[in-house]
Amino acid sequence: MARYNAKESEKDWQAAWDAKNAFVTPNDFSRRKSYILEMFPYPSGRIHMGHVRNYTMGDVLARFRRAQGFNVLHPMGWDAFGLPAENAAREKGVNPREWTYANIAAMRDQLKSMGLAIDWSREFATCDPSYYRHQQKLFLDFFRAGLVYRAEADVNWDPVDGTVLANEQVIEGRGWRSGALVERRKLAQWFFKITAYSDDLLDALDHMERWPEKVRLMQKNWIGRSEGMRFSFDLSNGKSVEVFSTRPDTLFGASFVALSPDHPLAEALAAKDAKLIAFVAECRRVGTAEEAIETAEKLGYDTGLTATHPFDPNWKLPVYVANFVLMAYGTGAIFGCPAHDQRDLDFARKYGLPVLPVVVPEGTDAKDFAVGDKAYVGPGRLANSRFLDGMDVAQAKADVAKRLEAAGKGTRTVHYRLRDWLVSRQRYWGCPIPMVHCPKCGLVPVKESDLPIKLPDDVRFDVPGNPLDHHPTWKNVPCPACNAPAQRDTDTLDTFVDSSWYFARFCDTKAEAPVSREAADYWLAVDQYIGGIEHAILHLLYARFFTRGLKKLGYTNVDEPFAGLFTQGMLCLTTFKDKNGQWLEPGEVEMRDGGFFKKGTNEIVTVGPSEKMSKSKKNVIAPETIIDIYGADTIRWFMLSDTPPERDIEWTEDGVEGCWRFVQRIHRLVTEAGALPPPGAKPNAKSEGADLGLRRATHRAIAAATDDLEALRFNRAVARIYELANAISGAEAGVAGAVRREALETLVLLVGPMMPHLAETCWQLLGHKTMVVETAWPVADPELTAFDTVNYAVQVNGKLRAVKQFPKGADKETVESTVLALEEVKRALDGKPPKRVIVVPERIVNIVA
RNA sequence: GCGGGCGUGGCGGAACUGGUAGACGCGCUGGAUUUAGGUUCCAGUGACGCAAGUCGUGGGGGUUCAAGUCCCUCCGCCCGCACCA
């Protein structure tokens, strides 16, 4: 029999599915639904292995749910705005639009070659005016609802990408894309009011059981809620300064007040103090070299001012400007309590300030408690604190709060680390912001009837800066309110806005409104979302915010966009370097005589560690070359096998070969099955012997593989399928044809979501006229998955001595006496009587000697 | 520094609420088929030992009839955040 020709077969089945519109999802709102979504790709031009892994996992789930009878939504689109298109325009002179759509066309073909069960009729790109038109409408809706505002603020400026960035997009002080050190600038920009939902975004995390704990924690830390107090110190110059503290209980341990170098008061003082100007400049210089922060010494400048203790008019504290106080957090000013805060302690030791413990551990006398070079941050009782003495930390906090509030000096507040989402980008290839700046009327929203505000085509990239701003005419428009000459906002929206609601648009891509309420009510939330961990905060937090905004505006009825989230691991591959330390592609390296050489030469190659596939390290394998050689099913199977889906997976040639052999093996099992009864033949309900054995193996495989797929344990489902294949090849020749047919059909159907083309071919070879994609998922017969005999492990003193089979439900006495009579047990007991015999039903017997 | 995760054969990894450690795959060894290579098939494959058996889930200690799994402690690796008051 001929081998399975994956290449031909796969193309044929893809055409056959298309011809039947097999994956076009009807908006039939009466059926039970399942919305499976993978993070949509940026159209860079080629798919990479990460895409293959991501989309394979989603596809398996989509096909599995479909077979189970769900109405499945499994769409695909393109996150198509962004800088690479603009950079390509600058570098190669191409038009960003043409470049993007050409990339989309190429990638669509590549995705289709994977045989994905996607409803392509719902495809869209975020750069389609028919998409961003709705986004502009939503922007205006959000604006009217108070969720969008414009403000001047210190912003993160990426000098390489030439635009501002949101806080989430600054990683270790550098732009997330460019890697350039971010500068601070004061600019008027647009913000989404994500902080309006700080508490809600935080609290909901506790109920999102189907999200990875890790992602929830990262978001929790990012939102960074802390409860404390704001209160004021009166200063010797007649002014006052407000501080924020989570530890007002330690107020009697205070030994200084410190201001951020960026604090307005510090700036005011600096105006009259040359040394302070120099100090502030020094702080800012260190501040930009982010690596230095970790080791940065605590530095302070004594302003000469004093602050009066809120509870003692005679107690004066020195006021410093200190480099470790951040303007961006709290009020930009603190009181320092060295005994109970490490930073304050470091600072106090350096400048010789008092260190007075005011919280001592339970059971310790305050006289015996001293703080060395480690601040005490644990629980305890208040001491050296006048009216607070003897209270625990919580009581003291409450008491201080009550007194400060009563005195009108402070208030309890909750502070968040999360700040509003800055969405203005000084770039061309993004969604234009539908706002007009009128000299008379100020900020005026564009009329909805004028949407979409389209990007102009005739833009120049040969001059630096924002092409929309440079455009000779585009920005000049009459004011929508007064008709006087005015100017459009020339910024575009952060591309993360585009991806913050695309899942809602997929519910009905033809809807006149941005989101069809009826379709959204049916399809949302996404049942299973799959993508990379790199979006743990950025995209996933923005989408959660946006969904709340959509709900507020009445577009949807859900708070959370993604009921289940799965973050897949990355792909890794060995790295190679030549003698000059330059990275080499795997194709440039050959192995011979047990060593690695540059192909065709005797130059020895250095083998590096396996690392995440990346272009810069040249350790990438192009999916299309693998699909070309082995077919899509092989690469799909590889992505699912062995490694749990959340972990990083090592790409190996041997692994792929093994998968390819299994493809052939399944095909062979079917073609060489011999004479089988026709489709529909049922095995004898009272099978026994070898027939029963194979039937049990079949039904156990169904039960186990189904459970594993439900839990996204693809690697285990794969193992179950191998076991079934082994059981089929190992079955005796005499096994009844109907039993063999049942086993083979089951194998094909279980394989179906994972290797869909192979499954269709085999299904046809088994005599079916229908397709696997229209066949229901097999159901395990509980009678056949249960065991009628049980193997007891027999231990003596916890050591395995024998395994003995008993009928299911054998009574303890029988088990015990039979086991004690076993030769192995007698030998191990060596004539001594057992002290105790533990029988765990259906599992184990342990004899204690 | 803080928070989280992980540590099991040569490798990727199984092991449900403590109950036969190593399923399944890769690799490797031997044999059969083949002109040969590949494919395919059969057998084997944690370590030591001829065997009986002993030892084995990062190290040490503990709980238990029984520990990869629970507790304490130490070590190592990975990820996230990072002067957050």
Side-chain angles (χ1 to χ4, degrees):
Chain A
M1 191 64 168
R3 308 187 95 185
Y4 174 62
N5 185 333
K7 224 172 153 177
E8 271 179 30
S9 172
E10 290 184 355
K11 218 176 290 160
D12 290 348
W13 287 117
Q14 285 161 20
W17 294 326
D18 265 357
K20 278 216 166 185
N21 281 332
F23 308 123
V24 174
T25 305
N27 266 347
D28 170 359
F29 302 149
S30 64
R31 295 168 58 199
R32 60 177 182 162
K33 65 95 185 183
S34 182
Y35 187 178
I36 310 288
L37 187 66
E38 301 94 63
M39 292 180 185
F40 67 163
Y42 177 79
S44 58
R46 316 215 76 101
I47 62 168
H48 55 67
M49 285 295 181
H51 291 130
V52 175
R53 193 179 194 196
N54 193 183
Y55 299 135
T56 298
M57 296 192 317
D59 200 52
V60 170
L61 276 182
R63 287 173 180 272
F64 172 57
R65 290 286 180 232
R66 188 182 299 278
Q68 286 180 316
F70 287 87
N71 189 20
V72 171
L73 179 55
H74 187 220
M76 181 60 71
W78 309 95
D79 189 12
F81 273 136
L83 264 179
E86 212 166 326
N87 290 341
R90 278 176 207 277
E91 286 155 24
K92 298 172 208 152
V94 295
N95 177 290
R97 176 191 323 279
E98 286 163 17
W99 184 85
T100 301
Y101 281 102
N103 285 349
I104 287 174
M107 286 177 77
R108 186 192 298 117
D109 282 348
Q110 293 188 325
L111 288 181
K112 286 193 169 177
S113 77
M114 284 179 63
L116 302 176
I118 281 170
D119 180 356
W120 287 102
S121 75
R122 296 183 190 236
E123 175 190 2
F124 61 77
T126 55
C127 64
D128 298 338
S130 59
Y131 179 76
Y132 70 68
R133 167 167 84 98
H134 299 296
Q135 187 160 303
Q136 290 170 338
K137 162 86 162 92
L138 289 176
F139 184 92
L140 296 176
D141 288 342
F142 274 50
F143 178 72
R144 291 188 187 108
L147 292 172
V148 163
Y149 66 94
R150 187 173 173 85
E152 179 151 310
D154 273 330
V155 299
N156 309 298
W157 175 263
D158 184 324
V160 169
D161 280 350
T163 183
V164 301
L165 297 174
N167 292 322
E168 290 79 7
Q169 292 158 6
V170 179
I171 316 288
E172 290 178 5
R174 293 170 182 275
W176 69 294
R177 279 198 69 261
S178 69
L181 278 173
V182 162
E183 299 165 6
R184 235 182 6 201
R185 292 198 179 178
K186 225 177 181 86
L187 291 170
Q189 302 281 289
W190 289 102
F191 291 86
F192 275 108
K193 206 168 170 52
I194 190 169
T195 56
Y197 294 96
S198 297
D199 266 326
D200 191 29
L201 288 167
L202 184 72
D203 294 343
L205 289 169
D206 289 336
H207 308 112
M208 289 155 69
E209 282 93 15
R210 291 177 53 227
W211 275 45
E213 183 62 30
K214 184 188 169 121
V215 175
R216 289 194 274 166
L217 253 161
M218 284 169 72
Q219 293 211 349
K220 207 169 206 163
N221 292 337
W222 186 262
I223 295 167
R225 180 189 156 104
S226 46
E227 288 177 27
M229 281 208 79
R230 282 166 182 261
F231 56 92
S232 294
F233 284 87
D234 292 328
L235 300 179
S236 51
N237 65 356
K239 298 190 171 137
S240 72
V241 63
E242 192 180 40
V243 301
F244 175 72
S245 174
T246 55
R247 293 295 303 273
D249 55 305
T250 63
L251 197 45
F252 287 103
S255 49
F256 64 95
V257 167
L259 311 173
S260 163
D262 301 312
H263 196 282
L265 188 59
E267 283 174 356
L269 291 170
K272 290 174 253 160
D273 185 342
K275 280 191 194 154
L276 182 51
I277 294 177
F279 177 77
V280 168
E282 169 70 11
C283 292
R284 287 191 178 153
R285 198 182 56 74
V286 176
T288 46
E290 290 286 332
E291 298 84 359
I293 277 191
E294 190 179 348
T295 49
E297 211 182 346
K298 304 280 176 289
L299 293 174
Y301 180 89
D302 191 342
T303 62
L305 293 176
T306 58
T308 306
H309 194 283
F311 290 129
D312 185 347
N314 298 317
W315 185 351
K316 306 292 183 191
L317 299 163
V319 178
Y320 285 82
V321 174
N323 66 343
F324 66 95
V325 182
L326 305 173
M327 192 58 220
Y329 191 81
T331 60
I334 60 160
F335 80 85
C337 176
H340 305 292
D341 182 285
Q342 192 58 45
R343 293 154 303 176
D344 297 348
L345 183 61
D346 294 344
F347 190 79
R349 292 291 183 220
K350 179 160 171 126
Y351 293 101
L353 298 163
V355 179
L356 177 68
V358 289
V359 178
V360 296
E362 200 74 47
T364 309
D365 197 307
K367 290 193 293 293
D368 307 329
F369 186 70
V371 166
D373 56 2
K374 275 231 148 178
Y376 179 71
V377 294
R381 297 255 164 218
L382 273 286
N384 303 320
S385 294
R386 307 185 191 184
F387 51 80
L388 299 175
D389 282 354
M391 294 183 185
D392 65 26
V393 169
Q395 288 167 336
K397 277 182 182 172
D399 195 57
V400 168
K402 203 176 68 197
R403 287 171 189 258
L404 286 174
E405 280 174 348
K409 285 189 170 171
T411 47
R412 270 174 271 219
T413 52
V414 178
H415 193 82
Y416 300 90
R417 186 180 173 280
L418 181 70
R419 267 162 288 156
D420 280 334
W421 175 17
L422 196 173
V423 293
S424 307
R425 296 292 177 273
Q426 290 71 46
R427 308 300 314 204
Y428 164 71
W429 194 233
C431 172
I433 295 175
M435 284 287 178
V436 171
H437 301 265
C438 173
K440 287 186 204 149
C441 314
L443 282 171
V444 185
V446 167
K447 284 185 198 146
E448 286 185 11
S449 55
D450 289 342
L451 298 182
I453 304 304
K454 283 196 192 174
L455 288 169
D457 270 326
D458 51 339
V459 282
R460 292 178 59 183
F461 292 100
D462 52 352
V463 280
N466 180 354
L468 287 181
D469 201 29
H470 294 148
H471 193 280
T473 56
W474 184 79
K475 65 183 169 190
N476 300 319
V477 289
C479 169
C482 72
N483 228 23
Q487 294 204 322
R488 285 193 196 289
D489 198 296
T490 56
D491 287 350
T492 51
L493 289 172
D494 182 3
T495 56
F496 280 99
V497 177
D498 310 341
S499 53
S500 289
W501 68 285
Y502 77 109
F503 47 86
R505 184 68 190 164
F506 273 139
C507 298
D508 184 348
T509 54
K510 309 281 191 291
E512 205 21 64
V515 178
S516 151
R517 178 64 198 255
E518 191 192 15
D521 280 351
Y522 173 69
W523 286 115
L524 294 181
V526 173
D527 294 275
Q528 186 64 59
Y529 197 38
I530 310 177
I533 186 77
E534 66 273 18
H535 289 110
I537 293 178
L538 290 158
H539 162 56
L540 290 169
L541 189 61
Y542 295 146
R544 293 183 62 216
F545 157 69
F546 226 87
T547 303
R548 283 164 170 76
L550 291 175
K551 183 181 176 187
K552 182 175 182 183
L553 294 164
Y555 285 110
T556 72
N557 193 30
V558 292
D559 287 309
E560 289 297 333
F562 313 120
L565 173 70
F566 191 88
T567 54
Q568 100 236 22
M570 307 211 195
L571 272 121
C572 299
L573 185 62
T574 308
T575 49
F576 297 105
K577 277 185 180 177
D578 69 10
K579 62 180 179 191
N580 302 319
Q582 299 295 306
W583 300 105
L584 292 172
E585 289 171 25
E588 298 176 280
V589 177
E590 65 183 349
M591 192 177 85
R592 67 182 127 91
D593 316 325
F596 288 88
F597 299 89
K598 203 162 172 174
K599 207 167 231 172
T601 72
N602 283 325
E603 187 186 327
I604 292 175
V605 162
T606 313
V607 181
S610 175
E611 297 192 58
K612 277 151 200 152
M613 283 192 181
S614 78
K615 269 188 237 162
S616 63
K617 287 176 183 157
K618 294 200 174 177
N619 59 337
V620 288
I621 303 280
E624 66 263 30
T625 62
I626 304 299
I627 293 176
D628 206 43
I629 298 168
Y630 300 101
D633 285 338
T634 295
I635 199 169
R636 291 170 62 117
W637 190 250
F638 176 85
M639 290 298 173
L640 302 165
S641 304
D642 296 345
T643 304
E646 69 278 8
R647 282 196 219 170
D648 289 350
I649 189 169
E650 173 79 12
W651 177 269
T652 66
E653 196 66 34
D654 283 336
V656 180
E657 288 274 352
C659 294
W660 182 76
R661 283 202 299 271
F662 188 60
V663 169
Q664 296 297 337
R665 189 172 161 215
I666 290 186
H667 187 253
R668 212 165 44 240
L669 278 174
V670 171
T671 52
E672 294 173 3
L676 294 176
K682 291 269 178 285
N684 187 335
K686 291 194 185 108
S687 306
E688 25 183 64
D691 284 5
L692 184 60
L694 185 54
R695 291 208 71 198
R696 284 190 182 286
T698 299
H699 284 263
R700 278 184 207 130
I702 296 171
T706 305
D707 279 357
D708 289 334
L709 287 182
E710 291 280 358
L712 281 71
R713 293 182 299 231
F714 303 112
N715 58 317
R716 298 211 315 197
V718 163
R720 302 285 89 88
I721 289 170
Y722 273 111
E723 280 176 346
L724 177 57
N726 291 344
I728 294 172
S729 15
E732 291 163 29
V735 167
V739 172
R740 278 185 294 135
R741 167 170 285 283
E742 181 188 42
L744 285 166
E745 289 193 349
T746 299
L747 179 68
V748 168
L749 292 176
L750 294 185
V751 149
M754 304 183 176
M755 300 198 279
H757 313 87
L758 173 70
E760 296 289 4
T761 297
C762 292
W763 194 242
Q764 207 173 49
L765 285 167
L766 285 168
H768 289 276
K769 300 279 182 267
T770 53
M771 290 203 278
V772 172
V773 292
E774 46 195 13
T775 306
W777 191 249
V779 177
D781 179 346
E783 297 241 328
L784 290 163
T785 53
F787 292 80
D788 55 359
T789 59
V790 180
N791 287 327
Y792 277 76
V794 182
Q795 297 180 336
V796 177
N797 287 333
K799 285 192 175 124
L800 185 72
R801 295 297 166 183
V803 176
K804 180 72 184 166
Q805 195 174 76
F806 288 94
K808 201 178 159 98
D811 61 88
K812 278 194 180 190
E813 291 69 30
T814 315
V815 170
E816 186 172 330
S817 58
T818 312
V819 154
L820 283 172
L822 288 172
E823 209 42 55
E824 297 92 329
V825 173
K826 281 190 193 158
R827 199 187 314 135
L829 284 174
D830 200 20
K832 281 171 251 163
K835 283 190 194 135
R836 199 175 151 192
V837 179
I838 294 140
V839 179
V840 183
E842 322 261 286
R843 284 190 189 276
I844 205 164
V845 184
N846 193 11
I847 300 156
V848 187

